[in-house]
Amino acid sequence: MIRLEHVTKRYEGGQAPAVEDLSMVIPRGELVVLVGPSGCGKTTILKMINRVIEPSSGTIYLDGAETSTFAPHVLRRSIGYVIQRVGLFPHRTIADNIGTVPTLLGWDDDRIRRRVEELVALMGLDSELLDRYPQALSGGQQQRAGVARALAADPPVLLMDEPFGAVDPVVRTRLQGELLDLQQRLHKTIVLVTHDIDEALRLGDRIAVFSEVGRIEQFASPEELLARPASPYVDEFLGAHRTLRRAGLLRLDAILCRKAMPADAVQPYQDDAGLPRLASSATVRDALDVLLAGKHQAVIVTSGDVTVHVAFDDLRAALE
Ligand code: ADP
Ligand code: MG
């Protein structure tokens, strides 16, 4: 869907390039996270994708066509942009902010108003807020309005630059959950930038880990990153408790499939009654927590009419 080929960006006066010889593919319908330290070129990459700035060299394709050949209104319709630090226009109402792109595209007032109302409902914002100015909204409400603005023309692609950077951890967690729900319904192609590895692991179908100099160190699923970091840099970037974090991503379904293979599908224990039970949607980490907290040798995991006993060894095997 989005393809970057040998893209380099040198800012005027900059000693080293902000982005150097970057090639990557962002598949349609996936949420791809770019994560890396401040200054590694993340914002520059987003701005080159929607042509706020032009690459010094290299080519960017959207659905196989070079973006450099697109008319501005086609790009606006195709790519929604959530700007770093929200970036709502302070002197425009929330309604006008959300209607920015439809207005630029020349929609009539009625159509814009209907779309704004739809988006406000979609983002769980109160329609009373529409006539207010951005500073009269909480941080979380502003972030939601920023996402609504990016979605206004229903673009297939969404670029989100640290979209939850300006809110406290509780609101941040909630907004992350909302984005995942939204993505389940909308199936956009999303490129999301963050410097927070936990956010990346929670949200990303795939994560590109960048080093200081704007080079991709690894581009992989969260599970793959945690299981097999490609370099000491990635390992360090992932931080402590890598195995526990992976356990937090791995659902017990995986064990259920493995253990429910024909021969040992049914191995009744004598002491079923006393064992704690977990749903198969719970994670390996949940099971570890239960086992560590109690005296039990196993937990019972059920899905439909399949029931298995999961012990420490099973959890360890799942993490191998
Ligand atoms: P990130 O979003 O990962 O923090 P940026 O893409 O904003 O990184 O910046 C990458 C590098 O390019 C940094 O060294 C930054 O100082 C530099 N840079 C960004 N914008 C400009 C600009 N307009 N002019 C000159 N240098 C810039
Ligand atoms: Mg940035």
Side-chain angles (χ1 to χ4, degrees):
M1 171 98 210
I2 304 173
R3 189 153 51 93
L4 290 86
E5 271 188 8
H6 302 294
V7 171
T8 294
K9 176 66 188 180
R10 270 191 195 80
Y11 287 107
E12 238 168 85
Q15 305 229 313
V19 175
E20 188 169 19
D21 195 26
L22 175 67
S23 296
M24 71 186 296
V25 172
I26 293 147
R28 182 199 300 270
E30 283 199 12
L31 198 166
V32 168
V33 177
L34 313 182
V35 65
S38 179
C40 74
K42 305 182 296 295
T43 296
T44 301
I45 294 166
L46 292 193
K47 286 182 172 170
M48 288 192 290
I49 293 174
N50 69 357
R51 288 184 60 207
V52 172
I53 58 175
E54 301 289 339
S56 309
S57 61
T59 316
I60 300 174
Y61 299 88
L62 186 61
D63 274 344
E66 287 187 31
T67 56
S68 57
T69 64
F70 285 36
H73 70 276
V74 176
L75 265 185
R76 277 200 196 106
R77 223 172 27 220
S78 310
I79 305 180
Y81 188 24
V82 182
I83 301 166
Q84 192 166 4
R85 287 182 283 276
V86 188
L88 293 174
F89 304 118
H91 304 299
R92 290 193 203 160
T93 63
I94 297 305
D96 289 345
N97 263 287
I98 296 176
T100 301
V101 171
T103 303
L104 287 170
L105 293 173
W107 294 13
D108 65 55
D109 290 352
D110 246 18
R111 185 173 171 208
I112 296 175
R113 191 182 43 76
R114 281 199 309 274
R115 181 62 180 152
V116 168
E117 278 165 11
E118 258 172 43
L119 287 161
V120 160
L122 181 73
M123 294 308 299
L125 282 165
D126 196 325
S127 57
E128 271 179 27
L129 303 176
L130 284 176
D131 294 327
R132 293 204 200 156
Y133 291 88
Q135 74 271 17
L137 268 61
S138 72
Q141 289 168 333
Q142 290 188 31
Q143 302 270 6
R144 288 193 180 92
V147 175
R149 180 174 65 179
L151 288 170
D154 198 19
V157 175
L158 209 53
L159 308 178
M160 310 182 83
D161 198 348
E162 310 215 9
F164 314 127
V167 291
D168 64 70
V170 174
V171 176
R172 192 183 177 100
T173 304
R174 190 181 320 138
L175 289 172
Q176 288 168 350
E178 288 173 11
L179 176 65
L180 288 173
D181 289 346
L182 200 67
Q183 174 63 352
Q184 289 231 315
R185 279 181 286 154
L186 302 183
H187 306 292
K188 302 287 183 189
T189 303
I190 301 179
V191 188
L192 184 145
V193 159
T194 180
H195 56 256
D196 175 355
I197 187 65
D198 290 308
E199 182 162 281
L201 291 169
R202 175 156 187 220
L203 297 179
D205 295 313
R206 235 178 266 244
I207 300 171
V209 180
F210 285 83
S211 61
E212 284 87 350
V213 292
R215 202 180 44 231
I216 292 191
E217 292 282 327
Q218 190 168 4
F219 187 32
S221 69
E223 294 78 10
E224 174 73 13
L225 274 183
L226 288 167
R228 281 173 287 279
S231 67
Y233 176 89
V234 176
D235 195 10
E236 192 182 331
F237 198 82
L238 288 167
H241 313 306
R242 185 155 63 75
T243 306
L244 272 181
R245 282 152 173 259
R246 190 152 75 87
L249 293 179
L250 201 61
R251 286 162 50 125
L252 294 171
D253 301 295
I255 297 178
L256 209 69
C257 293
R258 190 187 308 205
K259 290 202 75 172
M261 287 302 170
D264 67 1
V266 192
Q267 276 194 350
Y269 280 178
Q270 258 71 53
D271 57 350
D272 255 19
L275 293 182
R277 288 172 179 272
L278 284 174
S280 65
S281 59
T283 65
V284 168
R285 190 180 174 124
D286 295 329
L288 279 170
D289 192 63
V290 169
L291 288 181
L292 289 170
K295 298 188 195 73
H296 305 288
Q297 298 302 307
V299 295
I300 297 178
V301 180
T302 310
S303 172
D305 45 12
V306 182
T307 298
V308 297
H309 294 81
V310 173
F312 265 120
D313 284 347
D314 300 313
L315 299 174
R316 191 181 295 122
L319 288 167
E320 264 163 15

